[in-house]
Each structure stands twice: as structure tokens, then as C-alpha cells.
């Protein structure tokens, strides 16, 4: 039992079997992170005595206080530590680990105490760490210091052959002397003991070989591997205490291919031969050019397209104004009710079109330059001589809630694509939030971590794209394209076979868990029966044994059980954290040659993996857990303590990384000049598994390629819930360093503010400024902000201390930031991470407890915002309202790809949830009408339209019925089809088509995409949107809570299965009733109108043509909906006919009652018994 005075956390660590591990590395941080529990109190510390129990479990206690009793001042958490499914014994014990730490031995980075421990926490219970065996830990495969450094050779080293200390065996040395020109493979200098007489011949004969070998870099030894020579020049390192005290300048010149002479003399490019520069000499490098070149560039839309586009918007607006004026001045005296309904709908449609069209006036495109990013942040310089990555860290969040609706195999492929992304391994951390607390997800993640040791090196070695194994192996193109390695086909075949076995293991996990749990539960019943017999109790008395879910090590799963029990149900379970993959070391780690244990040759591949963490927050009855937003906020707090990356990427479990360079492209915007004002970089959503015709507009290209590009020209795109890189300090609710207020008409008068200089401008009441450590501030505002941090972020001191660290790491470089602004020096992040120990993980357990957010601003101002089912839009709106701006990053190759529901019912429920969230936004203080002056006028219009668009459905329902009413009654919305009416109608239609063509031109979408979007706009507007308005009004007026339906993710189809089988499944929903009614009524009305006109003595063909034309317009838009009801074989479900017939009869009877035949109304009002 361990307690800390600085944090109300009590830890008890227990282990089963042999324990092993080492202190793995934590986060890069220029400011030390203060853990709430001292390292001496952690299970890895050397202090204290350990008392072992008979069951192999122990508790760490002190001499004076063997067991501390629970005090009311402390909140306790339970930490159980079950294993991952495939655990093997680990050689070293934890006792030897602590002793090795005392003796100063170097601990292996892959053997981590943390990665072999599962931590769980709960309300009023003790925090226990259960150490388990873990098969994910593998021995270090690096070559020993006494083995030859030549590739493919493992002979013993012969010492003293060269002054550079390059390790070489006798045979390889003789080969180099005999056929290698007598030169050392490491430093390229001739060996001293080679004969002088052969030098001239060797130089001539090996001249061509030297040219081939001079680009091959061989590993040089470290300073400690050989005795220092007096002639070597060593300078003192200016880096931290954790680094080597001596800096080998010769080694640095060799590794970076550096040369002397720049600034002192002009050196020839190739010896003394003629080069490409002036007079045969190389041009002087421009060292300042690297700082001046931008990382990103904004490319505007061509004026030849944009100018006519804006002109057409104005012309259509004028045409609409004249048309509506004419309609109001020329009512239909014969059917005023019909004219009144139509003109009301048309006025609303015009208003809605203006709201939708105004934000599209300034579309832009953006491009990035990844070569500049690599040169600026990953090239050697004075502060970073080894060229380590100076990029900031990124924490990746993946959220899942139900393994039944979100298949574990889909989530596993997403995790694998993240672990294999092209970003510095030590700067990346992946967190999986399992909001259901399911053992199936936990064990699937453990299997994923095991398979990642094969998949990630394979991707790095052969440059595999995409790095989702299911998507890669399912490609129908030639996989040999651009592959030059001879071993690619053999290794691909091996990895493919291993992945097939991995899929079998994942898919068999549900049955495996069920059988295992049944066996353990039966064993528990037998033990209970025996105990009952030994106690002499009545055997007929029933024994209540809970049907638990068991882990593979024979312990209870602390999360959700299959049969819900107290403390083990979806809404009532402890918090769980397990580090599946420990944080990697800063130095690259190369693998071994292919053998019986290694499927592929990784001698030239870095085999390190990013940190992978499983998180399931605590849930208890009586607490509002706030759905996905609450889960994401729990991940924000957990990651702040464990890795504290200054940037956060969030992905849905079905959205995988398709472009491995996507993170680098996003960071180009964050780290470029002016990037400190960017709160997030949003990527477009791209989808797979959608039918080729895109029947229900699942690609949603009009929104992602038209509306979002246009918003990028204003203050930035909206946040759409996934595929977004956040700045952590922006998520914390802090204001940007600079902002602009827009006053006057349409925000034309601008006032620039510097928000991090409180003396210059007066802060608003709700302004939050990042507390910056280590800076002299005479103003007391910084102290006030620091004192308010516990109130806003909770009582975790580790979380509060991580905030200025994240702010510092997210700054721009000093040479980019500009004068008067705070930046960080180059190379400040190129340092190893801090250790990650049990105390830090235990503190992370405390911040995911169910009561941590009480009396804090989490969900109100900090993190994802609560109170709406569309928390993504609200969160982005709050950031824009504080003056931040966002960026839309459209890459040449899709950044992320996911799945979308192709079934009609699932698609309608998805749209219903979005529209319901919009209605909630409209009736809340997040309505754009109450936005601050820091939001641009057109950006405010766009957000206002987000809350307004569901209400258009009420007018759309009426307008879709009007053609049928017109045909039934023989009237029309106008007195007659005059030439003026037709000209206005033609002008409005032509301008709409021309606008669509120009939008297609500058956005890159197709005409098919635009038409599908128009069709589903009417389908959703007559089905899901009216229901959303009704639900929103019920919540506002009656306080009825809105239920959240999780969108089902399509599982990976097996070989031979139809990929689009779900498209033809008909699932009945009441959302289908309004569109079916509209279709049936319009079809009946067309038949009635045609029959009436043909048999009329005075036919009115103009009114018939007008009514039939608009009815046909409605039916054309509803065609995909009708096709979806037919299913695969074109058979309409019986329930469709029943509902359609009943509704048609009701509508017909109502119409006969409202407009009876002449002279028949009095008879209808009378009723007599026969």
C-alpha cells in the first residue's frame, strides 16, 4: 500500500507469476513533469521492504508503517491487472529490476513494467496494479558490441585495426585489405598496417569501388567503446543531463556528411575536379533560405471561375427578389389558401438559399511542402547535431463504444494504420477509448499490439500504402508496382498468411471468451457446492454465483460482464488503463535477420512501435457520462498525464489512416508562420464500401468539397467529429495569442487584439490565458490564472503542471514566430522522453473517475462541449468564437478513409441524429446569433445555417404536397401560367444550373455527386429533419431527453460475400412514412388530374401541366428512396402497402370533406340510421 501526500491516490501492486519490466520512457518536455506520487513510492523504486504472500502476491510497504489504514481524506481506487490473451513468462523479476536500477545497469527498453500491468480504478476502493506476464515483450535484437559491424557477419571482433574504432573481424579485415583497397569501411581511411608499396595499385584498382561504397554508411562505435585518443577533438554538449556529456565532432561530421570550410573558403564540390558551380566550385549554401521558405501556401480559385460564380449569385438573388415581388403582387384570387401556402414556402426557401450561398463567396485551396518540414525539423543544426526529430508530439484518440455495432477487426485495422504512420515513433502515442468496457475490445487490442510487431516493420521496409492490412491485401491492383526489393514477394506472402491467422483469432475471440467464462463459472459453482457441503449447510438451498466474465489468467474482468452484475455493467464499472505498448526509446532500434522467429528481415528497419494505451473510463449510476464527448475528455486528461502531446488527432474506430504522411501535412499548417492562431486542422472525410451509384449520397462531396473549402476562405471549416488535429491548449479553452474583432456593418471595421499581453488590452470576463512558466510577468493575471486552474481542470496537480508544457511544445520556432512573440528554440524537442512509471498511470486512473469533472469546467468551456448530440460542431464553434481559426487540409491522396451506412434506414437515423443536434444548437446559447465580435460575419452566417436547416423541412413537406393538392382541386399556385411567370421560373432555374456547373468546376466534384446531394436533400428533408425538429421542440418545451443511437459500422465482408448486401436490406422505420405518403399522394393526384382534364367540358391544360411538372419534380427527387424500398428483387414489403393505403384513404376522405362535390356538403354533415 502506497500513499502520497500530494495526491489522494492509494496504490496496491500485486503480481501473478514472474514479474519483469523496466522503466520505459515518457514524454519529451522542456519543463519537468511533477508526478503526484514520488518515484520512491512506486513499485519500481528501490526503497521499502516487500512482503510476499503465499499466493505469489505482494504489497510494497515501509518498515514503520506496514499497512496504512484508509483515511477519509483520501479517495481510493482499485487497480486490477488482468493479462493480455497470449502471455509468456519474462526472464527478469521485478526484484532484480529494482536491484539492476541500483547498480546502474541499462534496462532494456522493450521490457516494461508498465506495459505488463493493467490499472483499474473506482469510487471508494483501492488502486491495485496487477503485474502479469506479457508475450508482447521481445528481447533486444541489436548486435552485441563484440560482433563484427559488417552486414551479414556475426564473427568476433579483432581490436585495434583502425583508430576510428570500427568493429571488424579478421576475415572481413583481410577482405578489406585484399580486395577493398585497404580502407576501413567505417571512416574510409587506409589501414596503417597495409603495405606502402601496394598503395598506388590499390588506389587505382579500387577507385571505382570507392565511388560505389562512399554512400554506404556503416555504424560507428560510441565514445565509450574505445579508448580516446589525444588527437580527437571533443567538445562539451550543451544538451540536458540525460545525454552523453561528450560530443564527438568527428562522428557528427561523418554521420551528417558535413564538411569544413563554409564561411572561410569555397571548397570544390568533388575534390579538385570541375563541379557544376562557377569555375568548377560549388555554390555557397543559403542557410537563411530554410527559415524563409513557407511550409504551406494558399492557392486561390481561378478568377475566371470565381468572378462569374459571384456574379451569378448576385444575378440569382436579384431574380429571386423580382420573382417573389411579382408573386406577392399577383395573388391567385380563386385559391388564396393555395397561394398563401406556396408564397410562404418560397420566401423561406429563398432565405435558406441565401444562408447557404453567402459563405461560399471565398473558396480557397491550400498546399503543403513536406521537404521544408523535414529540412527545418529533422535536419542537423547547432542545437540538434544528431538530426533528431524536433517535431512536436501527437496523441491519437480512437473511440469505440460497442463491439457488436463496431466490429473489433475494424478497430484493429484502424489501430494498425496509426501505429505504422510516417511520423517520429517517439513522438506518437495512440489511445483507444472503450466506452463499453468490453473484454472483447481489450483482448482484440492485445492481439493487435502483437501483430503490429510484424506489420509495422513490413510497412516501413517496403513503403506499403495503405497501411491498413485489410485495405492493402484487398486491393485489386498490381501489388508489385514500384517495389524493387527482391524479398518483397516472399515477405508479403508471409505477412499475408500471418494476417489471415490474426483475423481468425480476432473473429474467434467472442466464442473463446464465452467458453472460458462458462468453464470458470462452472468451476466456481463446484467450489461453492463443496464449501456448502463442508459447512454442513442444506444442499437444497440455491447458491448464487455471479456469471462473471473471466480473463485468460483466471481473474475477473473489471469492466462489463456479459451478464450485467453490480459494478460490472455498461453503466457501472471501474476505470481501466493498460499500456499495451510501452513508450519507445529515442534512438532507433534495428531488428534481426529472418529466421524461425522473425518472419521478415528487419536488420535495416527501425522496429520501434509507438505507445499504445487501452482506456475505459469509470462509470457509475447517477452520473451523466455525456456519451462520446465525455469519453473524449477522459482521453484528453489521461494523455496529458501520460504523454502530453501538444497536438491531438481524433479518429472514429472505422476511420483509418490512408495516407501515412497525413500527420506531417497537418503539422505543416500548425508549425508555419501564423500557425499559433490555428486551433485545429480538419481533413475531409472519405468513405469506402459505398455502392458505385452512391444512392443515398453517402460520400457527401458537396459538403466536404464545396462548403468546407469555402469556409476555409473565411475563419475556417467546422469540426466534423473525426479526422481532425487539435491544438491541445485550444481544447483546454484558452484564447489564441492574437485575435481580430469585427465591428460595424458586416464586420468591416477590424480591431486587432493581443490576448497574451493583458496590459495592452482589457480581457473579457471569460478570457483564459495560458499560464507560462519561467517568464517574468509583473502583472498579477498570470498568478490568478494559475490559481484558477484547479477550479477549471480539476484537482490533479499533474494535469495542471502539464498545461504550460503542452503550450511550450506547441509554439512556433523562434525564427518563424517573429518579433515580439514567444517562440521556442530549434532543437528544444529533440530530447528523450521522461520515464513513464506506475505513479503516473495511477494518477491517470484518478482523472478518468466518474466524479472528477464535478465542479469543474470540463464540458462547459474545457474539452469537448456537452449538451448536444453533435458535440463536434459545438466544440468547433466555441473555438471560433474565441478568435481561433481553423484550416481545411485536402491532400492529393486521401488522408483518412472510413465507412458509412449504405442501408436506407441506418442512413436516415444518422441524418436524424445530425439534424437533432442542429435543433439543439438553435435553441441554446451556441446559436450564432449570440456569437462574439471575434467571429467573422460570413462565418457567423454559416454557423447560423447549421442550426436553421432542419426547420426548412416543415416548409418542404408542405411544398411537396402542394402539387398533389393543386391537381386534386384543379387550381394552381398562380392565376394562370403567364409569360412573366415562366420567364422568372426559367431565369431562376438557369442560374441555379450555372451555379452548379461553376461549383463543380472549382471544387472538383462531379455532376452525379451534385444531383445525388439534391435528391437526398429532399429525402432527408421529408423524413429525418421533421422528426428532428419534433424531438428538439420536445426537449426544449417538455424536457424530454433525446436518445442517442450508435451508428452501426459495417464489418469486413468475407471472400465471396456481396460487398453491398446491406444496401438491399429493408428495415422498417417510421421515418419512411412521410416520403411514402408524398409519393403515393402525388402519383394518385397525377392520375386524377389527367382524368379530370381529359373528360372535362372545359379542360384547363395550363394548370394540369403546372401541377404535373411539380409532381414529377418531387417524384424524381424521391426516386432513390423508392428504389431502396424495393430491395434486391424489387419486392415491396407488405407494410409499405398497408401504410400507404391507409394514408391515401385518410387524405382522400379529408379532401372530400374539405372540398366536397357541389351541393353535397349539407348531406355530408347529416347522418341518419337506416
Amino acid at each position: 500500500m502506497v500513499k502520497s501526500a500530494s495526491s489522494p491516490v492509494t496504490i496496491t501492486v500485486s503480481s501473478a507469476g514472474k514479474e519483469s519490466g523496466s522503466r520505459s520512457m515518457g514524454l519529451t518536455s522542456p519543463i519537468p513533469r511533477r508526478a503526484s506520487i514520488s518515484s520512491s513510492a512506486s513499485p519500481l523504486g528501490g526503497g521499502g521492504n516487500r512482503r510476499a504472500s503465499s499466493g505469489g502476491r505482494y504489497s510494497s510497504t515501509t518498515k514503520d508503517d506496514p499497512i496504512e489504514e484508509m483515511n477519509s481524506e483520501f479517495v481510493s481506487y482499485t487497480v486490477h491487472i488482468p493479462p493480455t490473451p497470449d502471455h509468456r513468462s519474462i526472464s527478469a523479476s521485478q526484484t532484480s529490476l529494482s536491484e539492476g536500477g541500483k547498480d546502474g545497469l541499462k534496462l532494456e527498453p522493450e521490457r516494461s513494467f508498465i506495459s505488463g500491468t493493467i490499472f483499474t480504478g473506482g469510487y471508494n476502493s483501492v488502486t491495485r496494479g496487477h503485474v502479469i506476464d506479457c508475450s508482447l515483450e521481445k528481447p533486444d535484437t541489436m548486435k552485441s558490441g563484440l560482433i563484427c559491424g559488417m552486414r551479414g557477419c556475426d564473427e568476433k571482433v579483432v581490436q585495434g585495426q583502425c583508430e576510428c574504432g570500427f568493429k571488424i573481424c579478421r576475415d572481413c579485415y583481410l577482405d578489406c585489405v585484399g580486395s577493398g583497397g585497404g580502407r576501413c569501411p567505417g571512416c574510409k581511411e587506409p589501414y596503417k598496417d597495409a603495405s606502402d608499396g601496394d598503395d598506388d595499385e590499390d588506389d587505382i584498382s579500387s577507385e571505382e569501388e570507392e565511388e560505389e561504397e562512399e554512400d554506404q554508411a556503416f555504424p560507428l562505435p560510441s565514445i565509450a567503446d574505445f579508448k580516446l585518443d589525444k588527437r580527437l577533438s571533443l567538445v562539451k554538449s550543451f544538451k540536458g543531463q540525460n545525454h552523453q556529456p561528450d560530443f564527438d565532432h568527428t562522428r557528427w561530421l561523418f554521420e551528417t556528411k558535413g564538411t569544413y570550410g563554409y564561411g572561410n573558403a569555397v571548397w570544390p564540390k568533388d575534390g579538385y575536379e570541375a563541379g557544376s558551380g562557377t569555375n568548377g566550385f560549388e555554390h555557397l549554401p543559403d542557410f537563411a533560405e530554410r527559415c524563409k521558405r513557407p511550409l504551406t501556401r494558399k492557392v486561390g480559385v481561378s478568377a475566371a471561375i470565381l468572378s462569374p460564380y459571384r456574379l451569378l449569385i448576385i444575378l440569382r438573388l436579384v431574380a429571386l427578389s423580382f420573382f417573389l415581388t411579382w408573386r406577392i403582387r399577383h395573388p391567385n384570387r380563386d385559391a388564396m389558401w393555395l397561394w398563401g401556402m406556396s408564397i410562404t414556402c418560397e420566401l423561406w426557401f429563398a432565405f435558406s438559399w441565401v444562408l447557404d450561398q453567402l459563405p461560399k463567396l471565398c473558396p480557397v485551396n491550400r498546399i503543403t511542402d513536406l521537404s521544408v518540414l523535414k529540412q527545418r525539423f529533422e535536419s542537423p543544426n547547432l542545437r540538434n547535431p544528431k538530426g533528431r526529430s524536433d517535431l512536436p508530439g501527437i496523441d491519437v484518440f480512437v473511440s469505440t463504444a460497442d463491439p457488436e455495432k463496431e466490429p473489433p477487426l475494424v478497430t484493429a485495422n484502424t489501430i494498425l494504420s496509426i501505429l505504422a504512420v510516417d511520423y517520429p515513433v517517439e513522438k506518437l502515442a495512440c489511445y483507444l477509448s472503450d466506452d463499453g468496457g468490453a473484454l472483447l475490445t481489450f483482448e482484440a487490442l492485445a492481439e493487435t499490439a502483437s501483430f503490429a510487431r510484424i506489420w509495422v516493420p513490413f510497412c516501413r521496409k517496403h513503403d506499403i500504402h495503405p497501411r491498413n492490412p485489410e485495405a492493402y491485401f484487398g486491393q485489386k491492383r498490381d501489388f508489385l508496382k514500384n517495389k524493387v526489393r527482391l524479398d518483397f514477394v516472399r515477405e508479403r506472402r508471409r505477412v499475408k498468411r500471418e494476417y489471415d491467422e490474426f483475423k481468425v483469432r480476432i473473429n474467434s475471440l467472442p466464442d473463446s471468451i464465452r467458453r472460458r467464462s462458462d468453464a470458470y463459472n462452472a468451476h466456481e459453482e463446484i467450489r461453492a457446492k463443496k464449501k456448502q457441503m463442508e459447512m454442513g449447510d442444506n444442499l437444497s438451498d440455491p447458491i448464487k454465483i455471479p456469471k462473471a466474465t473471466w480473463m485468460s489468467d483466471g481473474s475477473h474482468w473489471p469492466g462489463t460482464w456479459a451478464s450485467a452484475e453490480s459494478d460490472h455493467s455498461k453503466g457501472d464499472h471501474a476505470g481501466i488503463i493498460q499500456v499495451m505498448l510501452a513508450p519507445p526509446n529515442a534512438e532507433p532500434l534495428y531488428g534481426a535477420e529472418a529466421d524461425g522467429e522473425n518472419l521478415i528481415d528487419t536488420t535495416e528497419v527501425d522496429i520501434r512501435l509507438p505507445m499504445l494505451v487501452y482506456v475505459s473510463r469509470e462509470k457509475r449510476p447517477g452520473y451523466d457520462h455525456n456519451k462520446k464527448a465525455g469519453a473524449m475528455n477522459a482521453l484528453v486528461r489521461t494523455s496529458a498525464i501520460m504523454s502530453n502531446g501538444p497536438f491531438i488527432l481524433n479518429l472514429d474506430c472505422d476511420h483509418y489512416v490512408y495516407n501515412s504522411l497525413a500527420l506531417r501535412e497537418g503539422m505543416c499548417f500548425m508549425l508555419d508562420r501564423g500557425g499559433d492562431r490555428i486551433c485545429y486542422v480538419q481533413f475531409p472525410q472519405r468513405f469506402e464500401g459505398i455502392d458505385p451509384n452512391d444512392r443515398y449520397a453517402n460520400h457527401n462531396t458537396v459538403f466536404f468539397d464545396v462548403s468546407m473549402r469555402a469556409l476555409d476562405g473565411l475563419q475556417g471549416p467546422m469540426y466534423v467529429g473525426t479526422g481532425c488535429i487539435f491544438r491541445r491548449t485550444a481544447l483546454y479553452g484558452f484564447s489564441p495569442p492574437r485575435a481580430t474583432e469585427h465591428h460595424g456593418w458586416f464586420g468591416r471595421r477590424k480591431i486587432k487584439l493581443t490576448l497574451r499581453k493583458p496590459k495592452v488590452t482589457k480581457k473579457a470576463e471569460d478570457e483564459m490565458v495560458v499560464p507560462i512558466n519561467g517568464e517574468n510577468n509583473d502583472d498579477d493575471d498570470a498568478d490568478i490564472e494559475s490559481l484558477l486552474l484547479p477550479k477549471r481542470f480539476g484537482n490533479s496537480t499533474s494535469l495542471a503542471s502539464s498545461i504550460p508544457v503542452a503550450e511550450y511544445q506547441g509554439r512556433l520556432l523562434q525564427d518563424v514566430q517573429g518579433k515580439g512573440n514567444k517562440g521556442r528554440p530549434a532543437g528544444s524537442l529533440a530530447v528523450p522522453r521522461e520515464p513513464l512509471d506506475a505513479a503516473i498511470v495511477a494518477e491517470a486512473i484518478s482523472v478518468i473517475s466518474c466524479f472528477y469533472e464535478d465542479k469543474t469546467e470540463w464540458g462547459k468551456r474545457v474539452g469537448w462541449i456537452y449538451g448536444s448530440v453533435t458535440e463536434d460542431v459545438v466544440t468547433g464553434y466555441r473555438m471560433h468564437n474565441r478568435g481561433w481559426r481553423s484550416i481545411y487540409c485536402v491532400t492529393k491522396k486521401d488522408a483518412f478513409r472510413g465507412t458509412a451506412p449504405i442501408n436506407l434506414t441506418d442512413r436516415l437515423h444518422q441524418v436524424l441524429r445530425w439534424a437533432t443536434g442542429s435543433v439543439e444548437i438553435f435553441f441554446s446559447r451556441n446559436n450564432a446569433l449570440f456569437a462574439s465580435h471575434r467571429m467573422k460575419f460570413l462565418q457567423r452566417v454559416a454557423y447560423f445555417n447549421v442550426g436553421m436547416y432542419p426547420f426548412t423541412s416543415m416548409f418542404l413537406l408542405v411544398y411537396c404536397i402542394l402539387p398533389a393538392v393543386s391537381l386534386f382541386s384543379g387550381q394552381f399556385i398562380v392565376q394562370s401560367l403567364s409569360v412573366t411567370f415562366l420567364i422568372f421560373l426559367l431565369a431562376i432555374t438557369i442560374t441555379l444550373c450555372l451555379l452548379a456547373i461553376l461549383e463543380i468546376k472549382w471544387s472538383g466534384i462531379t455532376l452525379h455527386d451534385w444531383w445525388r446531394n439534391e435528391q437526398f436533400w429532399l429525402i432527408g428533408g421529408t423524413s429525418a429533419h421533421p422528426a428532428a425538429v419534433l424531438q428538439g421542440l420536445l426537449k426544449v418545451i417538455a424536457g424530454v431527453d433525446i436518445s442517442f443511437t450508435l451508428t452501426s459500422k459495417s464489418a469486413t465482408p468475407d471472400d465471396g460475400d456481396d460487398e453491398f448486401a446491406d444496401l438491399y436490406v429493408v428495415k422498417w422505420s417510421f421515418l419512411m412514412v412521410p416520403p411514402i405518403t408524398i409519393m403515393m399522394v402525388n402519383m394518385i393526384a397525377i392520375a386524377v388530374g389527367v382524368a379530370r382534364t381529359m373528360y372535362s367540358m372545359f379542360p384547363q391544360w395550363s394548370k394540369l401541366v403546372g401541377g404535373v411538372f411539380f409532381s414529377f419534380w418531387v417524384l424524381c427527387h424521391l426516386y432513390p428512396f423508392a428504389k431502396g424500398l424495393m430491395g434486391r428483387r424489387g419486392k415491396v414489403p407488405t407494410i409499405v402497402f398497408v401504410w400507404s393505403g391507409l394514408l391515401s384513404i385518410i387524405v382522400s376522405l379529408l379532401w372530400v370533406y374539405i372540398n366536397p362535390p357541389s351541393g353535397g356538403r349539407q348531406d355530408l354533415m347529416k347522418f341518419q340510421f337506416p
Side-chain angles (χ1 to χ4, degrees), residues 354-372:
V354 170
L355 292 180
D356 181 67
Q357 204 67 39
L358 282 180
K360 298 179 182 178
L361 292 174
C362 306
V364 296
N365 297 315
R366 300 180 188 272
I367 58 176
T368 59
D369 193 342
L370 296 180
S371 62
V372 179

Side-chain angles (χ1 to χ4, degrees), residues 946-1168:
V946 169
M948 281 292 298
Y949 81 88
F951 296 95
T952 305
S953 61
M954 311 307 295
F955 301 91
L956 189 60
L957 278 174
V958 175
Y959 208 73
C960 289
I961 294 293
L962 285 182
V965 174
S966 175
L967 291 172
F968 280 132
S969 62
Q971 301 294 333
F972 196 54
I973 58 177
V974 293
Q975 191 77 29
S976 62
L977 292 178
S978 62
V979 177
T980 306
F981 175 77
L982 293 176
I983 290 176
F984 278 129
L985 189 62
L986 185 63
I988 293 172
T989 305
I990 291 176
T991 52
L992 177 63
C993 295
L994 291 176
L995 281 173
I997 293 173
L998 290 178
E999 281 186 0
I1000 291 170
K1001 195 73 175 177
W1002 64 256
S1003 64
I1005 66 174
T1006 63
L1007 182 62
H1008 179 268
D1009 294 332
W1010 181 84
W1011 174 238
R1012 286 301 190 200
N1013 182 79
E1014 292 294 312
Q1015 286 180 315
F1016 198 79
W1017 171 76
L1018 193 141
I1019 294 173
T1022 55
S1023 57
H1025 295 176
V1029 173
L1030 181 61
Q1031 285 188 357
L1033 292 175
L1034 288 176
K1035 181 178 180 180
V1036 173
I1037 298 174
V1040 179
D1041 194 14
I1042 299 174
S1043 60
F1044 174 77
T1045 302
L1046 185 65
T1047 304
S1048 299
K1049 308 298 188 298
S1050 58
T1052 304
D1054 297 331
D1055 295 338
D1057 293 349
D1058 187 359
E1059 184 180 1
F1060 309 117
D1062 202 31
L1063 178 68
Y1064 308 104
V1065 178
V1066 180
K1067 305 175 185 177
W1068 175 252
S1069 172
F1070 281 98
L1071 297 177
M1072 299 178 178
V1073 173
I1076 291 175
T1077 305
I1078 291 173
M1079 286 192 301
M1080 297 296 295
V1081 169
N1082 276 278
M1083 287 188 293
I1084 295 173
I1086 291 174
V1088 171
V1090 171
R1092 175 186 293 150
T1093 304
M1094 291 180 62
Y1095 294 102
S1096 175
M1097 296 180 60
F1098 304 100
Q1100 297 180 352
W1101 293 102
S1102 62
K1103 295 182 179 180
L1104 175 65
V1105 171
V1108 170
F1109 174 79
F1110 283 107
S1111 291
F1112 184 73
W1113 176 84
V1114 172
L1115 293 175
C1116 284
H1117 282 73
L1118 290 175
Y1119 172 73
F1121 178 84
K1123 195 173 181 180
L1125 292 178
M1126 301 299 175
R1128 183 188 296 272
R1129 301 177 182 177
K1131 294 183 179 180
V1132 183
T1134 306
I1135 189 67
V1136 174
F1137 288 111
V1138 173
W1139 276 101
S1140 302
L1142 289 175
L1143 290 172
S1144 301
I1145 292 172
I1146 293 172
V1147 171
S1148 301
L1149 291 176
L1150 287 175
W1151 179 253
V1152 171
Y1153 177 78
I1154 295 173
N1155 189 16
S1158 57
R1161 185 172 182 83
Q1162 295 180 356
D1163 297 336
L1164 289 172
M1165 300 299 296
K1166 297 179 181 179
F1167 178 77
Q1168 294 179 355

Side-chain angles (χ1 to χ4, degrees), residues 10 54 87 117 146 182 268-269 313 339 549 553 779 824 953 988 1009 1020 1099 1112:
T10 303
S54 59
H87 297 299
T117 307
L146 300 178
K269 184 174 183 180
I313 293 177
W339 171 84
T549 299
D553 70 336
D779 199 354
R824 65 175 178 87
S953 61
I988 293 172
D1009 294 332
F1112 184 73

Side-chain angles (χ1 to χ4, degrees), residues 284-310:
L284 287 174
D286 186 3
F287 293 108
E289 182 183 0
R290 179 173 58 182
C291 301
K292 295 179 180 178
R293 290 174 59 190
L295 293 171
T296 63
R297 198 156 47 91
K298 182 165 66 174
V299 181
V301 179
S302 174
I305 299 175
L306 191 58
S307 298
Y309 180 73
R310 293 172 176 173

